[in-house]
Amino acid sequence: MTTDWLTTHRRATRWGALLLPIVVGAVLGLLRDALDPSTAAMVLVLPVVAAAATGDRFAGVIAALAAAGSFDFFLTEPYYSLSIHRQADLELAVALVVVGLAVTEIALWGRRQQATAQRREGYISGLIHLLDLPPDTTEQARATAIATAITTVLGADRCEWDPGHPRWNDAVVDADGQVRAGGRRLPVERVGLPTDGYAAVVVRRGEEVLGHFRVTTSTHVVRPTAEQLRVAVLLADRMADRTLHAETPRPATEEGMAGRGVRERARRNGIVDDPTATPE
């Protein structure tokens, strides 16, 4: 919720990133007789860290520059001027900018890693949910569950099971996470999945196509990673497991063997594929 608010109010976030270091610098300026300049510089790093934690690189850069300017203006001689006469103060100001930029990049890297971990946790949760489906789950219910998981993994608008071949103009997701359209690879990491068509995650058993999950991304551009696409393929393959289980031959019974004997006698008598015929 906090991240969503910061994203929605990006302008307010950037203004805060600019003003907060100035306010902190002004407060430190009142205490400059009791503070060492290096200590004051370390305190000024804190608002830079706060700005970087918003996930906005521009806000982090603004905060780093504002912190350096505040250090120069309030804490170096001549006070209340942007000029620096001492080399040690100049070195501290430059170090403050460098540290602020480094902290910003580290914070952004951490947020990216956290987002990646959350996506992977979502993938695993989806797979576990499908593995926990009871054996007697109907094909329609299983297809719905898999389609929902694929929608979540890819960030798509919706996904539906179609027990047929993909259309000729559908983009097809391969098992290795590559997407092909018209026989050529589609760079989804740059252009995203088609917004004016469908992406098909095909379900196969051997060379036989059992159907496909039709993915729709018409309202926004979706740029899934190869990892996300491979997870979508793994999810879709669960449908093949279900179909295979449904088509597994039942064990032979006496009634079944008797029926087979009737059919064999009907075939010998010249009656083939006629369920209403009776053997002589």
Side-chain angles (χ1 to χ4, degrees):
M1 184 179 298
T2 303
T3 303
D4 293 340
W5 189 93
L6 292 173
T7 302
T8 305
H9 301 81
R10 190 176 297 276
R11 179 176 296 181
T13 301
R14 291 177 176 178
W15 274 109
L18 174 64
L19 296 177
L20 183 59
I22 296 176
V23 173
V24 173
V27 174
L28 292 174
L30 300 175
L31 305 173
R32 58 177 171 257
D33 294 335
L35 285 176
D36 185 83
S38 58
T39 303
M42 293 179 62
V43 173
L44 279 169
V45 172
L46 297 178
V48 180
V49 174
T54 64
D56 185 354
R57 177 179 282 107
F58 188 69
V61 173
I62 290 175
L65 295 176
S70 298
F71 176 79
D72 180 13
F73 191 80
F74 294 108
L75 298 168
T76 64
E77 297 179 353
Y79 300 121
Y80 310 116
S81 170
L82 293 178
S83 61
I84 299 178
H85 292 172
R86 296 174 53 192
Q87 182 178 354
D89 292 338
L90 178 61
E91 291 174 353
L92 272 175
V94 172
L96 185 57
V97 174
V98 173
V99 169
L101 295 178
V103 167
T104 299
E105 293 303 317
I106 292 172
L108 292 174
W109 177 83
R111 288 176 65 88
R112 288 194 297 268
Q113 295 301 311
Q114 181 183 13
T116 301
Q118 289 176 345
R119 286 198 302 270
R120 288 177 177 171
E121 183 179 355
Y123 306 158
I124 294 172
S125 298
L127 287 170
I128 291 175
H129 173 70
L130 290 175
L131 291 174
D132 287 343
L133 289 176
D136 59 346
T137 303
T138 64
E139 182 175 339
Q140 182 60 41
R142 184 175 292 269
T144 301
I146 295 174
T148 301
I150 292 176
T151 301
T152 302
V153 166
L154 298 182
D157 293 330
R158 62 180 181 275
C159 178
E160 300 173 340
W161 168 248
D162 186 340
H165 288 259
R167 300 175 182 178
W168 65 271
N169 57 344
D170 286 347
V172 178
V173 181
D174 293 336
D176 58 356
Q178 302 293 327
V179 180
R180 300 189 180 278
R184 292 190 291 184
R185 179 182 175 275
L186 186 67
V188 294
E189 66 278 2
R190 288 193 299 105
V191 302
L193 293 175
T195 56
D196 56 351
Y198 300 100
V201 185
V202 182
V203 179
R204 293 184 173 88
R205 188 175 68 230
E207 297 298 325
E208 180 187 2
V209 174
L210 302 177
H212 69 280
F213 285 93
R214 180 180 298 166
V215 180
T216 304
T217 56
S218 57
T219 62
H220 62 291
V221 178
V222 176
R223 298 182 178 90
T225 64
E227 181 183 38
Q228 288 173 275
L229 293 167
R230 285 195 294 268
V231 172
V233 172
L234 289 175
L235 290 169
D237 284 344
R238 296 292 298 166
M239 200 66 189
D241 295 343
R242 171 61 182 173
T243 306
L244 179 62
H245 176 75
E247 295 182 359
T248 301
R250 291 177 297 177
T253 61
E254 292 184 4
E255 180 180 1
M257 295 300 292
R260 179 181 296 179
V262 171
R263 288 194 297 272
E264 289 296 333
R265 289 194 299 273
R267 188 175 294 109
R268 286 197 300 269
N269 290 328
I271 305 172
V272 180
D273 295 332
D274 185 359
T276 61
T278 55
E280 295 179 359

